[in-house]
Amino acid sequence: MSKEVKDTAEQAAPKRSNQPKTPTLVRGMKDILPSEQGYWRLVEETVRQVAMEYRYEQIETPVLEPAALFNRTIGKETDVLEKEMYTFTDRSNESLALRPEGTAGVARAYLEHGMLNQPQPVKVFYIESFFRHDRPQAGRYRQFFQFGFEAIGDAHPVVDAQIISMTYEVFRRLQVPVNVHMNSLGDKESRAAYEKALLDYYKSHKSELCEDCLRRMQKNPLRLLDCKQTGCRTLAETAPQTVDHLNTESREHFVSVLEYLDELEIPYTLDPRIVRGLDYYSKTAFEFLPVLSEGDDRVIELGGGGRYDGLIEQIGGRATPAVGAACGIERLINRLHEQGVQAQALPDADVFLAQLGDPARKLSIKLFGELSAQGVRVAESLSKDGIKPQLEAANRVNAKYTLILGQKEMMDGTILIRDMENGIQEVVDMQKIVNEVVKRLQRGKSQQLQAADPEVVAKMEEESGVSEAQQKLDL
Ligand code: AMP
């Protein structure tokens, strides 16, 4: 047995036959471990940054909503509603659902808080988790996270284009190349005309349809295009296309969205198969698919969205146009991994605090707070004794300096500062150590910048009030 395996085996509690089984993850759920957090931070910070630049404010809605909210909005014959929603009756006999998606909750909040009285469109974003009792597989979980943008209260096609553009910008900044697949479902009138054409087509191919699709024909013909069965997929390829059944207004709207995308130089493909999984979409519908290497024919849907002009009315508000997009964060992070992107976990430390003996430990825990209050990134292993393991820990976090507080320094009221790059150690008055550290770090930063661009540094120094002459005197 290797040492590592032996240690682990010894650490594990001995199992008795009557001992309860250790609980494990619920199927379809996952832990997001510390080693993955760098990727999550990267995605979330990018989303927040883009949202802020486009002036979209965050909204957070509850995980639990009345089941009726989704029954009324998502639509009949959709997998999300029929098979995937987690619903239950609570102790007050209310029928509740774990939210399967974000738009309905945002629309409920818009109505409930009278946001229609604010300047329109109301622009919000979210980063939240959703729940679908889906069959777990790669890139498909029962609890998953999405980021999403919603603009409620504006019918102009430029808003559709802006939602697409800001979502595209998130992918661009993360260096995940995507192609936007575009379609239009048209407004109510166009959609009715299209559904009729679709039904006529499928009626003459009834014998080739699977059982699910025969039922879909009655309830929601658009879903026929989504079927994954080989026979139905072949049929879908020659089915009528929505864009051929758009009325003038829907057509003009769609053309206009595409023109804005051209203006923004966002690459898109017209894709008549995009009908989106949920029922509330009208007019513009789009999906974001990653650009994969040649020969890789996977279809990975990173995100999608569209216009949902009828949704607010469906839940009891007055007719309110709206458009939004939502993207799966797990799938995006998978893509970052596939592309070999390295996301940093915790940043390197500026300073490591090493101490010897209990009085020094007490002073160190206080000094830790004083340094971090000045914005210094401090690392420590306060529970450890002995200088060697502490210096090793300092190297692991790539500390620039280690502060060493031993018995002698405690008596003298001093502290040692060790430059980890050249090993030079200096004695500093304990009272002055915070200022000294801050000063050295600032100096290090401007030297780094100077190597890059002297003009920028001169400007920064001017702004911070620290002149080159002052720095020289300090040395
Ligand atoms: P939808 O709300 O179905 O339009 O999904 C939008 C995006 O969320 C998809 O493109 C996926 O990236 C992601 N997504 C949807 N369902 C799941 C799931 N079960 N597990 C992980 N990601 C999901």
Side-chain angles (χ1 to χ4, degrees):
M1 202 189 273
S2 76
K3 184 173 181 310
E4 206 180 347
V5 174
K6 190 162 163 268
D7 286 351
T8 322
E10 276 168 4
Q11 274 169 20
K15 290 258 185 256
R16 289 191 307 272
S17 56
N18 61 351
Q19 209 171 359
K21 236 176 105 188
T22 309
T24 54
L25 268 176
V26 171
R27 193 164 133 80
M29 306 283 153
K30 67 186 174 305
D31 297 311
I32 307 170
L33 297 175
S35 54
E36 274 296 288
Q37 291 298 339
Y39 291 90
W40 285 80
R41 222 172 3 248
L42 179 66
V43 171
E44 288 180 18
E45 278 168 10
T46 308
V47 171
R48 278 178 209 290
Q49 188 61 35
V50 170
M52 204 148 66
E53 288 165 21
Y54 282 72
R55 304 195 67 77
Y56 277 60
E57 184 54 285
Q58 189 162 7
I59 186 164
E60 291 180 67
T61 58
V63 169
L64 279 182
E65 293 279 3
L69 174 65
F70 305 109
N71 292 335
R72 282 167 70 175
T73 53
I74 290 177
K76 49 195 183 320
E77 274 300 300
T78 52
D79 283 350
V80 170
L81 202 73
E82 282 203 329
K83 305 183 202 149
E84 297 170 5
M85 206 154 75
Y86 280 91
T87 41
F88 66 98
T89 309
D90 77 352
R91 286 160 203 252
S92 329
N93 224 16
E94 263 189 88
S95 176
L96 301 177
L98 292 181
R99 58 179 177 207
E101 57 95 37
T103 305
V106 172
R108 177 201 49 69
Y110 173 89
L111 278 181
E112 202 155 342
H113 301 282
M115 291 191 223
L116 65 170
N117 298 318
Q118 295 173 10
Q120 307 290 300
V122 169
K123 299 172 173 181
V124 291
F125 79 97
Y126 57 80
I127 302 176
E128 285 178 331
S129 65
F130 301 96
F131 302 83
R132 293 182 196 170
H133 197 272
D134 221 343
R135 195 159 47 86
Q137 51 183 277
R140 199 169 278 284
Y141 307 93
R142 289 182 174 172
Q143 179 184 6
F144 58 96
F145 285 76
Q146 289 182 340
F147 69 84
F149 304 116
E150 313 279 4
I152 308 183
D154 201 318
H156 201 286
V158 75
V159 188
D160 308 33
Q162 202 185 37
I163 287 273
I164 295 170
S165 147
M166 64 194 293
T167 313
Y168 185 80
E169 182 62 15
V170 171
F171 290 118
R172 196 191 65 77
R173 287 191 195 182
L174 291 168
Q175 293 178 34
V176 173
V178 291
N179 199 342
V180 192
H181 286 230
M182 295 291 301
N183 193 20
S184 173
L185 306 171
D187 59 9
K188 240 188 198 162
E189 186 188 273
S190 317
R191 195 161 158 170
Y194 175 62
E195 285 188 355
K196 189 177 169 308
L198 205 58
L199 270 179
D200 289 345
Y201 169 79
Y202 278 105
K203 267 182 198 153
S204 56
H205 293 90
K206 232 174 164 176
S207 57
E208 296 154 67
L209 286 173
C210 74
E211 246 176 59
D212 277 350
C213 279
L214 286 172
R215 213 182 53 238
R216 288 180 183 127
M217 257 179 91
Q218 309 295 324
K219 295 194 173 170
N220 187 351
L222 271 187
R223 297 265 65 77
L224 288 159
L225 298 170
D226 255 0
C227 185
K228 303 285 179 290
Q229 302 280 342
T230 326
C232 304
R233 262 171 49 185
T234 317
L235 270 184
E237 272 164 30
T238 46
Q241 301 190 353
T242 50
V243 283
D244 295 327
H245 295 83
L246 298 179
N247 59 16
T248 312
E249 198 225 315
S250 298
R251 174 172 298 276
E252 279 172 6
H253 185 98
F254 190 41
V255 169
S256 185
V257 175
L258 297 180
E259 280 170 1
Y260 290 120
L261 295 186
D262 288 335
E263 198 62 38
L264 291 163
E265 293 179 31
I266 293 177
Y268 63 84
T269 310
L270 294 181
D271 187 344
R273 300 296 145 232
I274 298 214
V275 292
R276 308 289 302 138
L278 313 178
D279 221 20
Y280 52 59
Y281 288 107
S282 56
K283 292 189 179 163
T284 320
F286 51 85
E287 285 180 3
F288 295 91
L289 279 83
V291 178
L292 300 171
S293 48
E294 234 180 84
D296 188 343
D297 53 7
R298 287 175 300 165
V299 178
I300 305 170
E301 191 205 312
L302 290 176
R307 203 158 247 294
Y308 50 94
D309 289 350
L311 184 131
I312 305 264
E313 207 176 0
Q314 257 168 291
I315 56 170
R318 63 168 187 236
T320 309
V323 56
C327 301
I329 299 184
E330 287 84 354
R331 287 192 202 171
L332 175 52
I333 290 178
N334 280 349
R335 217 32 226 141
L336 292 175
H337 280 293
E338 282 177 4
Q339 290 182 195
V341 173
Q342 296 291 326
Q344 202 183 20
L346 283 175
D348 289 343
D350 296 320
V351 165
F352 189 91
L353 269 186
Q355 34 66 46
L356 296 162
D358 265 338
R361 186 176 280 130
K362 278 196 182 125
L363 202 58
S364 293
I365 197 170
K366 197 161 149 239
L367 183 56
F368 182 98
E370 288 168 4
L371 285 164
S372 63
Q374 295 300 316
V376 178
R377 290 193 200 119
V378 203
E380 46 68 40
S381 43
L382 285 175
S383 61
K384 298 280 183 296
D385 297 311
I387 193 70
K388 196 161 167 261
Q390 296 191 68
L391 286 180
E392 280 166 6
N395 280 327
R396 278 200 298 276
V397 294
N398 287 323
K400 292 184 192 73
Y401 300 100
T402 297
L403 304 184
I404 304 166
L405 197 52
Q407 279 158 2
K408 179 172 184 312
E409 289 75 31
M410 283 298 289
M411 278 194 317
D412 297 349
T414 58
I415 189 163
L416 284 180
I417 180 164
R418 179 188 174 94
D419 186 321
M420 296 299 279
E421 207 172 273
N422 55 24
I424 297 173
Q425 293 190 170
E426 284 167 64
V427 181
V428 178
D429 186 337
M430 187 65 195
Q431 301 298 323
K432 297 187 178 148
I433 189 62
V434 176
N435 279 346
E436 178 63 25
V437 167
V438 171
K439 208 161 67 184
R440 285 189 186 212
L441 291 172
Q442 270 173 358
R443 202 184 299 152
K445 255 181 218 149
S446 50
Q447 273 163 1
Q448 259 175 8
L449 275 171
Q450 208 148 20
D453 187 343
E455 266 180 41
V456 174
V457 181
K459 192 159 178 290
M460 274 187 63
E461 279 165 357
E462 208 182 285
E463 280 164 9
S464 70
V466 185
S467 71
E468 208 175 332
Q470 258 177 311
Q471 280 191 35
K472 276 189 186 135
L473 282 177
D474 285 343
L475 283 169

